[in-house]
Amino acid sequence: MKPLDDRRIDRRQVSALLLLYRRLGFRAARDSGTGKSKGGPLLIIPSYLLFGGLLIPTLEAAAEARTALIMLATAVLGMSALTLIPDALETQQARIEILSTKPVGERTFALAQALTNLRSLAIVVSCLLLPGSWWLKSTMDVPIPTLLIFGVLTLFCAFALQILWLSLLLALAARLSYERIRTAAQAILMTVLLTSWLPGFVFRALRADDDLASFRDAPWIEALPPSWVVDAYGQGSGPNFYAPRLALAALFIGALLLRRYTTTRQHQRRLFEVILQPPAKTGRPSLELRVLGLLARLGLAKGPSLGVARLILLAMAREDHARLRRMSLRVLMLLNVGAAWMMGLPLMAGVPTGTLAAMLLATELDLIKDSQQAGAAWILEAAPIHKAEISAGARLSLLVSFWSYSGPLLVLGVLPSLSPWIGLAWLLALFLSTYNLLSLALIIRAPRPLSREPRGGFHLATLLVAFLFGTLGGLTQAAFDFAPLPVVALLLLLALLLRHRVRDRAQLPKKLAPQGA
Amino acid sequence: MLELLDLSKRYGEVVSLDRINLVVPPGEVYGYVGPNGAGKSTTARILSGLLRPTSGEAKIGGHSVVTDVLAARQKLGYLPESGAIFEKLTPREYLGSVGELYRLEAKAIGPRIEELLALFVLSPRIDERMDTFSKGMKQKIAWCAALLHQPEVLLLDEPLNGLDAEAVRVVKDLLRRYAAEGRTVFYTSHLLDIVEKVCDRVGVLYRGRLIAEGRPADLCGEGENLEAALVRRWREEGP
């Protein structure tokens, strides 16, 4: 082996690190139990293309091409910069233990990581820009070379902003809690992605069709990076021409220097100490757990099913996968209700309400099967609990989860449009519908909670169940609109029947019953 | 050679290591034992350059792990307690990357990987992804990664986690062979029966302090094995 120089960039090591990061980043994970692929990271491509497409209504509000380009750059820079979230604690620790113990110089690491970030960002930025660029070309006749330069500059600007964002997160993680900072970063990303279409929507709602937006008379816009990206090319002279170029170059160089600092050994060691010292306290229990605790104190939840429900809700609150998916469902629900309130319309009433509620339930029903520590589900198999009690626990956790966030939001969106008595009946019908749907689903096919490693992408079976749930929910809502009271009575009867069915099946087999009981 | 000179590590108010002094010469297998939380892994992480000592010095092959870290790492083979590997890769891909990062000669990497995998009876799995491997198989791959560049100093943190009886035997032979070749082995564990059989010398750690050091036989009282002797000593140290 040749002696290494910490100040030199070793090309061979850079190539090895790039290959390693590519394999780690782009290869699909596999279920350790079944060996089945869990969906590759490239599944993000359709999602980001879709998010890019959702930006077009915003661009349609622009008076001219420059304003549209600034709008597009703002949205793409915001979304893409936030996609870099610090790894989970275990992943981060493993990475540091494997890579930071090898004889690799700081500059070599810095270059390999910067190139890897650029590579991933290029995919995200391209997907987000593509639909909007196509629209700009076909509607505003923006030339393709201009769009290409715009794309490259957006990519480099996004790279710089991404480094600033990651550095901020890591600095906060060193002072606060690593996991809390990750959760906050995930929530911000999810909210930004899901609300990216909102500016165009609001603009259209608030203004007349022929009143279009222009950033020509808004000097504060010039002071922000999206304007620099748009104004950094073209021909001209003078300070106004060079200022955006200089600003963009300064941003990029500053970010590179910051990236260089975050890959220094000193910084890596500090990060490793932060990771090794996770806070012993887990913070306040989630809203769902507090609701479950309240139900337990009131005697409405007890026995093994309460334990199962608590276990599911704890795992779902602390695991990335479940947290992100549920967060996105709730943000969507919030947006729906927010839109309904803003427009002053009872948007949520009628068949779509039932469909939406039921589809949410179906998604959460699928989600409770997942856990990043699926191997730990043996405790549910080994404990002397009857299968029906596990199902009852799953149903309880889902009801608590739904009625802690999504349910109240739905109610908030719908109730103002109903008379008091009908509103009360509707509320009862909604609760009974969720209860009955879950009971039926769990009787037909009882899940093994937390026993499946999380999968990526969309799955046909989940979509079919969601569609089936949605149809049933929609039909129930339609029937309610036609004859409210008989529907409530029927739902109540069905709930009582299903409750007894679960209770009958919940009796412990004799061999498992406590002695002398 | 491996040296710890007045080595201390604090996390805020908590003292994890308190002025540890020890030297492990070439050709010796040194057992570093202690109960859970004694500071064994902290010592290993400082030696591997992952953590910076609060005070004192740690050296691998004469190179400081703080000021001359690349040279120290080049001489070190580290097996972390977690046995972390990149599970999405195959053994050939993962060990190939490790070889490239150690800048081994390109032609030598392939045969060395095959040799190590054959030693741990993993040759048939060379091109299979490791995310479906058992815990023991993953630990064997972590062993291969630590041995790949034939390090001068081998730093092993709980290295027998998950290994089967056959692999444990391979490891014992390997450690003796490494020591006979004049290499240094620093072996941290809480499994004292194996330490007693494999190590030439043992350092006993308790709450961050090195409370005893010597040959296993010298640490034991009459009719005592190492396990009984060390449990007695820990109790004498008080809660």
Side-chain angles (χ1 to χ4, degrees):
Chain A
M1 282 182 288
K2 296 169 196 168
L4 290 162
D5 183 354
D6 210 5
R7 291 161 301 179
R8 261 191 66 228
I9 288 174
D10 187 302
R11 281 191 200 170
R12 190 171 163 208
Q13 288 183 327
V14 171
S15 308
L17 285 169
L18 285 177
L19 180 65
L20 183 68
Y21 290 142
R22 182 167 62 78
R23 283 172 171 158
L24 292 174
F26 292 95
R27 201 170 272 185
R30 278 194 193 161
D31 188 299
S32 60
T34 61
K36 281 183 188 168
S37 172
K38 291 193 280 187
L42 290 177
L43 283 172
I44 60 162
I45 288 177
S47 312
Y48 280 107
L49 280 171
L50 177 68
F51 288 128
L54 290 173
L55 296 176
I56 290 176
T58 305
L59 304 183
E60 284 172 344
E64 19 65 36
R66 182 175 174 274
T67 301
L69 283 166
I70 291 175
M71 285 175 165
L72 185 59
T74 307
V76 173
L77 289 175
M79 285 194 271
S80 55
L82 296 176
T83 52
L84 195 64
I85 290 171
D87 284 327
L89 274 177
E90 308 81 44
T91 315
Q92 187 79 270
Q93 186 179 338
R95 258 179 201 237
I96 292 177
E97 279 188 335
I98 295 171
L99 294 178
S100 298
T101 54
K102 304 294 178 280
V104 181
E106 289 179 351
R107 291 183 185 185
T108 305
F109 254 131
L111 180 63
Q113 292 200 348
L115 291 174
T116 303
N117 286 358
L118 259 179
R119 182 168 58 193
S120 309
L121 207 51
I123 296 173
V124 172
V125 169
S126 307
C127 292
L128 288 172
L129 279 181
L130 207 62
S133 300
W134 169 81
W135 183 86
L136 281 162
K137 167 82 183 75
S138 55
T139 312
M140 294 199 165
D141 286 330
V142 180
I144 289 177
T146 304
L147 288 172
L148 283 175
I149 298 170
F150 170 71
V152 172
L153 290 174
T154 306
L155 171 64
F156 283 101
C157 192
F159 171 76
L161 293 176
Q162 196 179 55
I163 289 172
L164 294 176
W165 174 239
L166 184 69
S167 304
L168 176 70
L169 290 180
L170 292 178
L172 288 172
R175 283 158 185 77
L176 304 168
S177 148
Y178 188 86
E179 272 308 305
R180 276 192 193 166
I181 293 300
R182 287 192 72 237
T183 311
Q186 289 167 344
I188 292 169
L189 171 65
M190 200 55 72
T191 309
V192 167
L193 285 177
L194 295 174
T195 53
S196 55
W197 52 272
L198 212 54
F201 178 80
V202 172
F203 191 83
R204 281 174 171 274
L206 299 180
R207 292 188 174 206
D209 274 352
D210 53 350
D211 190 5
L212 296 172
S214 175
F215 293 153
R216 282 197 185 283
D217 304 321
W220 60 273
I221 295 273
E222 309 293 330
L224 296 173
S227 298
W228 308 343
V229 169
V230 176
D231 296 337
Y233 55 90
Q235 293 174 334
S237 61
N240 286 345
F241 175 68
Y242 289 110
R245 295 181 176 198
L246 287 173
L248 209 55
L251 180 70
F252 188 67
I253 292 167
L256 276 182
L257 290 175
L258 198 59
R259 190 68 179 139
R260 168 82 180 86
Y261 169 70
T262 57
T263 47
T264 56
R265 227 159 266 132
Q266 187 191 355
H267 185 272
Q268 290 290 314
R269 281 180 182 139
R270 202 177 306 141
L271 180 63
F272 194 60
E273 283 195 21
V274 169
I275 290 166
L276 288 178
Q277 302 283 306
K281 287 182 184 171
T282 52
R284 287 173 61 197
S286 63
L287 177 63
E288 294 116 309
L289 284 164
R290 277 180 276 158
V291 170
L292 189 67
L294 180 68
L295 291 178
R297 281 197 293 282
L298 294 173
L300 295 170
K302 54 190 167 186
S305 58
L306 172 64
V308 172
R310 188 171 283 141
L311 189 67
I312 293 171
L313 290 175
L314 269 170
M316 289 174 82
R318 302 227 174 113
E319 290 197 7
D320 273 0
H321 176 78
R323 200 162 52 196
L324 274 174
R325 281 185 63 183
R326 292 197 314 164
M327 207 184 277
S328 62
L329 290 173
R330 286 166 187 170
V331 170
L332 275 175
M333 182 64 87
L334 192 65
L335 289 174
N336 274 299
V337 175
W341 275 72
M342 267 179 55
M343 304 296 288
L345 296 170
L347 285 184
M348 308 295 291
V351 175
T353 312
T355 308
L356 187 61
M359 288 181 83
L360 269 170
L361 276 178
T363 313
E364 291 217 12
L365 180 62
D366 184 58
L367 204 55
I368 64 162
K369 296 175 196 164
D370 292 346
S371 169
Q372 281 151 339
Q373 286 161 342
W378 65 268
I379 191 73
L380 290 174
E381 303 291 319
I385 311 171
H386 196 270
K387 210 173 171 182
E389 282 176 325
I390 297 179
S391 293
R395 180 178 64 190
L396 181 59
S397 72
L398 287 165
L399 281 172
V400 167
S401 173
F402 181 81
W403 283 100
S404 295
Y405 291 99
S406 309
L409 278 173
L410 263 179
V411 171
L412 210 64
V414 174
L415 273 192
S417 64
L418 303 174
S419 66
W421 284 109
I422 291 292
L424 194 64
W426 178 82
L427 193 58
L428 190 59
L430 183 63
F431 176 78
L432 291 171
S433 300
T434 54
Y435 184 92
N436 291 339
L437 267 176
L438 284 174
S439 300
L440 276 170
L442 291 167
I443 286 169
I444 292 167
R445 189 165 184 191
R448 293 172 65 203
L450 312 175
S451 63
R452 186 180 69 187
E453 288 186 17
R455 305 174 299 176
F458 300 104
H459 289 264
L460 190 61
T462 310
L463 290 176
L464 280 176
V465 172
F467 177 74
L468 189 67
F469 263 53
T471 309
L472 281 173
L475 286 174
T476 311
Q477 181 68 48
F480 178 87
D481 290 344
F482 184 67
L485 290 182
V487 167
V488 172
L490 272 173
L491 287 170
L492 188 60
L493 189 65
L494 186 59
L496 288 172
L497 278 172
L498 294 175
R499 181 167 180 266
H500 283 300
R501 178 150 175 78
V502 172
R503 187 179 280 173
D504 286 343
R505 292 182 61 183
Q507 282 172 358
L508 288 174
K510 273 185 189 166
K511 63 175 180 178
L512 294 178
Q515 293 300 310
Chain B
M1 177 132 83
L2 180 151
E3 298 159 273
L4 302 181
L5 310 167
D6 255 346
L7 188 78
S8 295
K9 178 69 188 172
R10 283 170 181 272
Y11 292 103
E13 293 299 304
V14 181
V15 180
S16 186
L17 290 176
D18 190 8
R19 285 168 292 147
I20 305 288
N21 282 287
L22 62 87
V23 176
V24 188
E28 186 172 86
V29 181
Y30 188 92
Y32 195 59
V33 300
N36 294 337
K40 302 186 296 292
S41 290
T42 300
T43 311
R45 283 168 178 153
I46 290 174
L47 280 166
S48 64
L50 288 174
L51 292 178
R52 194 186 177 95
T54 310
S55 63
E57 181 72 280
K59 290 182 178 177
I60 301 282
H63 301 283
S64 163
V65 299
V66 177
T67 55
D68 196 7
V69 65
L70 287 192
R73 282 179 184 168
Q74 213 161 10
K75 295 191 169 181
L76 180 73
Y78 174 49
L79 177 60
E81 185 188 14
S82 63
I85 53 172
F86 291 131
E87 299 180 6
K88 280 184 183 177
L89 309 185
T90 67
R92 193 196 298 276
E93 289 169 345
Y94 174 59
L95 297 173
S97 299
V98 172
E100 294 286 340
L101 294 181
Y102 278 106
R103 303 203 314 165
L104 300 183
E105 227 178 284
K107 276 188 240 165
I109 296 176
R112 178 75 180 140
I113 292 172
E114 284 167 14
E115 180 193 339
L116 286 169
L117 290 178
L119 184 70
F120 286 102
V121 204
L122 278 175
S123 299
R125 317 292 292 263
I126 189 165
D127 288 319
E128 286 180 28
R129 279 177 52 151
M130 299 187 285
D131 38 15
T132 52
F133 281 15
S134 69
K135 189 179 174 186
M137 286 158 74
K138 288 174 190 169
Q139 184 74 356
K140 288 176 187 174
I141 298 295
W143 262 98
C144 295
L147 297 171
L148 191 74
H149 60 298
Q150 298 178 298
E152 201 174 287
V153 177
L154 204 48
L155 173 58
L156 310 168
D157 193 359
E158 302 290 356
L160 301 182
N161 285 345
L163 291 187
D164 56 33
E166 192 185 347
V168 169
R169 197 172 165 170
V170 168
V171 165
K172 280 188 201 165
D173 292 344
L174 195 96
L175 295 183
R176 300 280 9 138
R177 186 153 50 85
Y178 252 63
E181 287 171 6
R183 299 175 201 274
T184 306
V185 180
F186 190 78
Y187 182 113
T188 84
S189 181
H190 61 271
L191 300 174
L192 302 175
D193 50 341
I194 305 232
V195 170
E196 190 172 9
K197 286 174 192 156
V198 171
C199 298
D200 303 309
R201 225 154 40 100
V202 174
V204 183
L205 200 64
Y206 187 76
R207 294 195 170 181
R209 288 180 297 118
L210 195 64
I211 58 167
E213 197 181 29
R215 290 189 305 130
D218 296 341
L219 294 173
C220 300
E222 197 153 318
E224 261 185 339
N225 62 10
L226 188 64
E227 188 175 81
L230 295 188
V231 170
R232 176 174 52 77
R233 274 179 183 259
W234 292 333
R235 282 189 184 150
E236 283 168 8
E237 288 291 321

